[in-house]
Amino acid sequence: MASSFYRVLLLVGFCAPMFCTSSNPYNRESPHPPSMKSNAASQVSPSNTRFAFFLYQRLAQENPGQNLLFSPVSISTSLAMLSLGARSDTKTQILRSLGFNVTHVPEPTIHLGFEHLVRSLNEYHRGRDLRMGSVLFIRKDLQLQAKFLNRVKKLYGTKVFSEDFSNAVTAQSQINSYVEKETKGKVVDVIQDLDSQTAMVLVNHIFFKANWTQPFSAANTNKSFPFLLSKGTTVHVPMMHQTELFGFGVDRELGCSVLQMDYRGDAMAFFILPGKGKMRQLEKGLSARRLRKWSRSLQKRWIKVFIPKFSISASYNLETILPKMGIRDAFNSNADFSGITKTHFLQVSKAAHKAVLDVSEEGTEAAAATTTKLIVRSRDDPSSIIAFKEPFLILLLDKNTESILFLGKVENPRKM
């Protein structure tokens, strides 16, 4: 039976965030972007955040001492979209692993929430370029269920292309070229093992480009500043610095300092610096509740900030990770994707994810949290300094949807 299954290749989260000014020519300006508080996207945001930290903790466990970077919202959206064509336990496992209980949140509400989320993220915001999209490359002889095709187009704005997978080399080249174009050249050759058994490739890509509201001066960047790696060795990195009003607090429960910096265009970043020996404690304590507390409790204050200028990237084969998070049947012969097609048996053979992140002088923005005991140092203290000269976490968030666009750990700013 297993030999009769065709492969589905799930390529998610090809992310290319860069921090520099740009308008978005792909989206029309909306004078009143939808608020997360007032639309159906509020039904999916908490679950997406829980899934983000659940996945982060799994990746951190399996990649100790390495840079981590991924796009939670891209992966969640891809899996939710795939669930449209799943049935029985395959569907249940996907939605449950995404943090949804369909007895409390009906499935139509979940997909309506993602529809609003995708639409909101693609709204035009002056000063930033944020695009997220999905595309299906379908085997020419694969007859799709009309309902599935209509729903992925309507709810997720998915583009659909017919592809000749019998010529795997040509198909691979065409899909790689599409991804490279959509990420403006940041992600290349993402597929390297396409074969003729592939029946469908689902790609979700996200591109982010924005400026800090309080940019650093390149003239002040220290070209060679010591950064202490977790292994105890030191590398020298370009270190940006400035003194400015930023959201800041100390979370004593997790033993970390939290800095909030804002981007133009309703986006923000949290830089989280654990105390000595507290990285594992911080990682284990990450949660949607903790993020809400930070978002409500940080206070603006004058502070001298040192942040390395860096570029990092990371790639993951999620087919080895997602089954450990509960999505098992999608990747084996028990897969039930009869909602996609009834003429072929489908199972997911690969779920690839690649992310790229550049941080430089031009960009940043912020947000904060409450209820946790966050300590803010005296505003009159001229010695308020936070220096990210050891491994730290970074979260990039969209304010309107309260979605984590990118989540990562910088273990070594010199390692691409």
Side-chain angles (χ1 to χ4, degrees):
M1 174 68 91
S3 61
S4 66
F5 278 83
Y6 282 90
R7 296 178 177 179
V8 175
L9 189 58
L10 180 65
L11 304 173
V12 293
F14 303 114
C15 329
M18 294 182 63
F19 305 108
C20 55
T21 304
S22 175
S23 60
N24 189 343
Y26 297 89
N27 298 311
R28 296 181 179 178
E29 182 168 6
S30 171
H32 302 291
S35 169
M36 188 66 166
K37 309 297 184 187
S38 60
N39 64 40
S42 61
Q43 298 287 341
V44 302
S45 179
S47 294
N48 283 348
T49 301
R50 288 192 293 271
F51 173 79
F53 290 133
F54 188 25
L55 178 55
Y56 174 90
Q57 288 156 352
R58 175 63 67 174
L59 291 174
Q61 179 182 332
E62 301 202 1
N63 299 274
Q66 298 182 30
N67 291 333
L68 300 177
L69 182 66
F70 65 99
S71 174
V73 70
S74 178
I75 296 174
S76 294
T77 300
S78 298
L79 291 172
M81 178 177 157
L82 190 65
S83 76
L84 280 172
R87 297 292 181 265
S88 60
D89 288 345
T90 305
K91 177 192 290 287
T92 301
Q93 289 173 11
I94 293 174
L95 294 178
R96 185 177 295 157
S97 294
L98 286 174
F100 296 107
N101 184 336
V102 293
T103 60
H104 295 121
V105 182
E107 188 183 350
T109 303
I110 294 172
H111 293 297
L112 183 62
F114 275 100
E115 178 188 15
H116 280 258
L117 174 62
V118 172
R119 186 177 301 166
S120 181
L121 290 179
N122 284 308
E123 287 284 345
Y124 174 77
H125 293 271
R126 194 177 304 279
R128 89 173 187 192
D129 184 353
L130 173 60
R131 288 185 293 141
M132 185 170 76
S134 298
V135 58
L136 282 176
F137 294 90
I138 304 295
R139 187 186 184 98
K140 286 187 175 181
D141 62 349
L142 189 68
Q143 298 297 316
L144 294 188
Q145 298 271 44
K147 183 178 180 180
F148 172 77
L149 200 57
N150 291 337
R151 293 178 79 193
V152 296
K153 288 180 178 178
K154 177 181 181 296
L155 296 171
Y156 292 86
T158 304
K159 298 177 183 177
V160 180
F161 299 108
S162 178
E163 187 62 66
D164 181 8
F165 288 110
S166 64
N167 188 334
V169 174
T170 300
Q172 177 172 302
S173 175
Q174 290 175 342
I175 295 172
N176 281 338
S177 294
Y178 179 91
V179 172
E180 184 175 352
K181 178 183 176 182
E182 291 299 312
T183 60
K184 299 189 177 181
K186 296 297 292 183
V187 176
V188 298
D189 296 333
V190 69
I191 305 179
Q192 298 182 2
D193 55 359
L194 198 65
D195 61 45
S196 59
Q197 283 294 100
T198 301
M200 183 173 76
V201 175
L202 187 160
V203 176
N204 181 278
H205 54 84
I206 183 167
F207 180 88
F208 176 74
K209 195 173 184 178
N211 263 25
W212 303 121
T213 58
Q214 302 292 343
F216 294 83
S217 170
N220 293 334
T221 297
N222 186 322
K223 298 298 189 290
S224 182
F225 194 95
F227 186 96
L228 182 63
L229 306 182
S230 58
K231 296 178 180 179
T233 56
T234 299
V235 296
H236 285 78
V237 301
M239 183 67 75
M240 308 178 294
H241 70 90
Q242 66 169 309
T243 301
E244 191 49 76
L245 270 175
F246 293 122
F248 178 71
V250 176
D251 186 333
R252 281 189 169 172
E253 292 180 31
L254 294 187
C256 65
S257 299
V258 183
L259 175 73
Q260 170 192 325
M261 296 179 66
D262 292 329
Y263 295 103
R264 296 174 185 174
D266 287 331
M268 62 187 180
F270 283 139
F271 292 87
I272 308 154
L273 183 66
K276 283 284 187 185
K278 297 294 180 70
M279 178 62 83
R280 287 292 301 277
Q281 178 178 316
L282 168 60
E283 291 176 330
K284 289 181 179 180
L286 292 173
S287 67
R289 179 172 170 269
R290 182 72 57 176
L291 184 58
R292 285 195 302 272
K293 290 178 177 181
W294 288 344
S295 299
R296 296 168 184 166
S297 298
L298 299 184
Q299 297 180 25
K300 290 277 189 176
R301 62 162 305 101
W302 288 98
I303 185 168
K304 190 168 188 177
V305 173
F306 291 81
I307 296 177
K309 179 178 179 178
F310 64 90
S311 295
I312 63 172
S313 64
S315 301
Y316 306 103
N317 294 321
L318 296 179
E319 70 273 13
T320 66
I321 302 293
L322 295 175
K324 298 173 184 177
M325 297 174 64
I327 304 177
R328 297 177 299 276
D329 288 1
F331 297 93
N332 61 41
S333 59
N334 293 320
D336 184 352
F337 289 107
S338 55
I340 296 178
T341 176
K342 287 187 179 296
T343 59
H344 296 80
F345 293 108
L346 301 177
Q347 73 181 58
V348 180
S349 63
K350 189 173 184 61
H353 180 88
K354 184 171 185 178
V356 180
L357 175 64
D358 299 332
V359 174
S360 64
E361 289 89 353
E362 290 86 7
T364 291
E365 194 178 336
T370 199
T371 307
T372 298
K373 297 176 182 176
L374 291 171
I375 302 162
V376 178
R377 297 167 187 165
S378 168
R379 176 171 283 183
D380 298 324
D381 183 0
S383 64
S384 294
I385 298 174
I386 183 167
F388 292 85
K389 56 184 181 179
E390 297 181 22
F392 60 91
L393 306 189
I394 180 171
L395 291 87
L396 305 188
L397 299 101
D398 175 70
K399 288 183 176 180
N400 287 326
T401 63
E402 298 178 349
S403 297
I404 302 177
L405 302 175
F406 307 102
L407 173 57
K409 174 168 63 172
V410 180
E411 280 274 353
N412 184 348
R414 291 288 302 274
K415 190 173 182 180
M416 183 64 181

